[in-house]
């Protein structure tokens, strides 16, 4: 069966999820924050271990401090909300996978709710330790990033050294049946 038109609308919306780094000053309402936290809560994880804790950050001083951890995340200061993902710190590989899953669900959920989202990576070990201090996260937990959320004014990358936009063509990244083999 071909892709149905209403399903296509949803899949097109998913394809349009981009990293947002510039936000309007509008606050994100409490019920919207609650909805985002429930999206995070219901994300699947390895053996359903749910190895996470989430910190919803709306305090401007806190956002400012995180933005100062490293230059490539200085845009965090202008956002109204960020959700820090704190992992138990027990199983490195599966927790990294689970972190990616919950991050992407928040990004897609934000898009559906009319918001935009962006990943801000704390940086090296020292910068992660500094982020933990700012957020009162115990040293034995893993904390690498926040998902920044708000009403985007642009999805352009305003940084002096922007990441390249666009995607590799499917012909370069897909094989059929065996790697390197093209379809019929
Ligand atoms: C692990 C990871 C870390 C990232 N860290 C940052 C970051 O520190 N600062 C930033 O502006 N974007 C960061 N990004 C966002 C990427 O730059 C973005 O996903 C990529 O450029 C694609 O953007 P697009 O979907 O808008 O095309 C990160 C993404 C990932 C997956």
């Amino acid at each position: 069966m071909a892709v149905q038109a209403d399903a296509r609308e949803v899949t097109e919306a998913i394809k349009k999820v981009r990293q947002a780094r510039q936000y309007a000053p509008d606050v994100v309402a409490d019920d919207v924050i609650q909805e985002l936290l429930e999206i995070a809560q219901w994300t699947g994880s390895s053996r359903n271990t749910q190895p996470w804790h989430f910190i919803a950050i709306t305090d401007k001083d806190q956002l400012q401090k995180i933005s100062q951890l490293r230059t490539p995340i200085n845009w965090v200061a202008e956002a109204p909300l960020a959700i820090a993902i704190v992992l138990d710190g027990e199983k490195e590989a599966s927790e990294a996978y689970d972190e990616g899953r919950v991050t992407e669900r928040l990004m897609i959920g934000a898009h559906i709710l009319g918001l935009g989202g962006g990943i801000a990576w704390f940086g090296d070990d020292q910068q992660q330790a500094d982020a933990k201090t700012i957020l009162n996260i115990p040293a034995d937990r893993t904390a690498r990033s926040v998902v920044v959320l708000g009403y985007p004014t642009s999805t352009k990358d305003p940084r002096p050294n922007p990441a390249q936009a666009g995607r590799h063509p499917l012909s370069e990244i897909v094989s059929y049946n065996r790697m390197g083999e093209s379809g019929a």
Side-chain angles (χ1 to χ4, degrees):
M1 201 196 299
V3 180
Q4 301 297 298
D6 50 352
R8 175 87 67 190
E9 260 180 51
V10 178
T11 58
E12 286 300 322
I14 292 173
K15 286 186 233 170
K16 288 197 177 90
V17 175
R18 294 276 87 76
Q19 169 100 356
R21 300 181 179 88
Q22 291 169 304
Y23 300 95
D26 311 56
V27 297
V28 180
D30 288 346
D31 67 326
V32 177
I33 297 176
Q34 180 69 24
E35 197 65 22
L36 289 162
L37 293 171
E38 288 179 22
I39 288 168
Q41 172 193 18
W42 281 98
T43 301
S45 56
S46 170
R47 294 188 61 80
N48 199 23
T49 45
Q50 304 166 68
W52 40 48
H53 183 94
F54 304 103
I55 307 174
I57 311 161
T58 53
D59 183 287
K60 277 287 178 194
D61 282 348
Q62 288 289 74
L63 292 165
Q64 173 89 32
K65 284 180 191 156
I66 292 166
S67 77
Q68 288 167 347
L69 287 170
R70 54 190 274 270
T71 313
I73 64 168
N74 60 8
W75 48 274
V76 174
E78 304 306 322
L81 170 68
I83 297 179
I85 301 169
V86 185
L87 298 151
D88 289 348
E90 288 169 7
K91 290 191 174 163
E92 196 180 336
S94 64
E95 287 181 15
Y97 197 105
D98 295 338
E99 181 182 20
R101 288 189 72 184
V102 75
T103 298
E104 195 59 24
R105 283 207 192 188
L106 283 170
M107 298 275 289
I108 293 169
H111 191 70
I112 292 168
L113 290 163
L115 290 97
I119 300 161
W121 196 247
F122 299 145
D124 63 21
D125 288 351
Q126 184 57 56
Q127 288 157 325
Q128 288 178 25
D130 293 344
K132 287 183 198 172
T133 303
I134 295 166
L135 295 169
N136 194 34
I137 298 168
D140 61 350
R141 305 290 181 91
T142 301
R144 282 182 280 249
S145 63
V146 284
V147 180
V148 183
L149 298 146
Y151 296 93
T153 54
S154 167
T155 52
K156 291 211 171 76
D157 189 340
R159 298 174 299 169
N161 186 17
Q164 198 179 356
R167 297 292 187 264
H168 299 308
L170 278 187
S171 58
E172 279 181 20
I173 59 170
V174 176
S175 303
Y176 290 87
N177 300 313
R178 286 162 56 85
M179 190 154 178
E181 287 185 8
S182 55

